[in-house]
Amino acid sequence: MANNIQTQKKSVLAVLPARYDSSRFPGKPLALIAGKPMIQHTYEQVKKSKLVDQVVVATDDQRIIDAVEAVGGRAIMTSRDHICGTDRVAETARILGNNFDIVVNVQGDEPLVDPNQIDAAISLLFEKTDAVVGTLVTPLPNESEVMNRNRVKTVLDVNGHILYFSRSMIPHNKSGKYNPKVNYYRHIGLFAFKADFLQSFAVQQPTPLQLEEDIELIKALEYGYKIKATIVYDDPHPGVDAPEDIIYIENFLKQKKQE
């Protein structure tokens, strides 16, 4: 597998969208975690990827650019008008000249993102495939997680292509009850796009199911595109949605340092 990847090596750009004015957590990218801005933690993790050639933070605020450049990173100012992170990622790729084969969207609020999982998503597009997006899913461990509407669930076909995403329990049986014998999967919000598809995807109109579920990638499915997923079993660490999440991240980093 490694030799196959090496012979088909494509150029890969990783973009970290980082908006300053989060409604739930203003200034989130600059929140300090163990003495460093959160965006710095995420940037350093993505730099560990073996398949990413360039890492760029895409933002709408000069303070975030200053923080990234202070540690030797690269950041680009993008429009304040973007509705979602993918639009910001697409603009960044255009600013850089669209000179990449694959563009990866890694959320800036994922300070513990696993570089091996980034590579796993990218590798799906190194294969001979008609999929235009590579992404990750992980098993949901219990009924509480399956029923949690903050968890985006997904179902796959026999070839590992995404059939659908939902915030509801899927698959959904006639009784409407959780079945412990069924494999339920959570989608991990990390996307590797074929670069040419990313640009067309960014300008396509939203679709009914996308809007109803409030899940951006459903738009690709509704337009008939294929999304390939790989299942990862290492428990992915949560991102930062609220200030209290920082406590978990700091405790994890402290424990890791002691090992």
Side-chain angles (χ1 to χ4, degrees):
M1 182 68 177
N3 290 336
N4 186 46
I5 289 176
Q6 189 172 13
T7 57
Q8 300 181 47
K9 180 70 172 79
K10 295 178 172 65
S11 57
V12 180
L13 168 68
V15 181
L16 285 56
R19 189 169 63 93
Y20 187 87
D21 292 321
S22 167
S23 58
R24 286 183 293 178
F25 191 173
K28 179 167 64 170
L30 300 182
L32 293 180
I33 299 176
K36 296 194 297 189
M38 178 172 59
I39 192 63
Q40 180 182 345
H41 285 279
T42 308
Y43 187 93
E44 290 172 349
Q45 285 298 102
V46 178
K47 287 285 286 185
K48 296 175 185 176
S49 161
K50 294 184 174 73
L51 299 181
V52 170
D53 298 298
Q54 186 173 339
V55 183
V56 177
V57 173
T59 186
D60 59 358
D61 194 281
Q62 186 62 42
R63 287 167 289 187
I64 295 175
I65 290 180
D66 293 342
V68 173
E69 291 181 345
V71 294
R74 184 175 184 186
I76 289 178
M77 183 68 75
T78 54
S79 171
R80 291 179 175 270
D81 299 329
H82 292 308
I83 297 174
C84 62
T86 300
D87 292 346
R88 197 176 304 283
V89 171
E91 182 191 357
T92 302
R94 291 194 300 273
I95 291 172
L96 295 175
N98 281 328
N99 294 323
F100 296 87
D101 298 304
I102 295 170
V103 180
V104 189
N105 180 344
V106 183
Q107 298 302 311
D109 58 4
E110 297 279 351
L112 299 180
V113 63
D114 185 343
N116 292 321
Q117 292 184 358
I118 296 172
D119 290 344
I122 294 168
S123 296
L124 293 170
L125 300 184
F126 280 9
E127 302 168 1
K128 186 177 181 180
T129 178
D130 54 357
V132 294
V133 181
T135 192
L136 308 174
V137 302
T138 191
L140 283 162
N142 53 52
E143 181 177 2
S144 175
E145 286 291 286
V146 171
M147 295 299 183
N148 187 339
R149 292 186 179 273
N150 292 320
R151 305 288 183 260
V152 174
K153 274 73 74 174
T154 187
V155 284
L156 312 176
D157 70 13
V158 294
N159 296 311
H161 293 104
I162 300 283
L163 291 171
Y164 193 60
F165 299 98
S166 181
R167 297 184 184 278
S168 300
M169 179 181 74
I170 54 172
H172 199 97
N173 56 51
K174 288 188 292 185
S175 71
K177 296 179 180 178
Y178 170 77
N179 182 352
K181 296 180 181 179
V182 168
N183 292 322
Y184 298 95
Y185 294 104
R186 174 172 70 86
H187 179 233
I188 299 172
L190 189 159
F191 324 120
F193 293 93
K194 287 185 176 178
D196 53 353
F197 167 74
L198 172 63
Q199 296 304 323
S200 62
F201 182 68
V203 298
Q204 285 174 321
Q205 291 298 308
T207 53
L209 293 175
Q210 171 202 353
L211 296 174
E212 182 64 21
E213 295 270 10
D214 191 23
I215 300 171
E216 186 183 9
L217 276 186
I218 290 179
K219 181 171 76 168
L221 298 177
E222 286 192 83
Y223 278 109
Y225 295 104
K226 287 190 175 183
I227 301 172
K228 188 73 178 288
T230 191
I231 302 171
V232 296
Y233 294 94
D234 294 335
D235 184 26
H237 296 287
V240 176
D241 292 320
E244 54 266 28
D245 294 328
I246 289 178
I247 298 172
Y248 170 86
I249 304 289
E250 289 187 323
N251 287 338
F252 174 83
L253 292 173
K254 189 181 298 182
Q255 184 178 15
K256 187 176 179 183
K257 194 174 183 179
Q258 293 172 351
E259 291 177 354

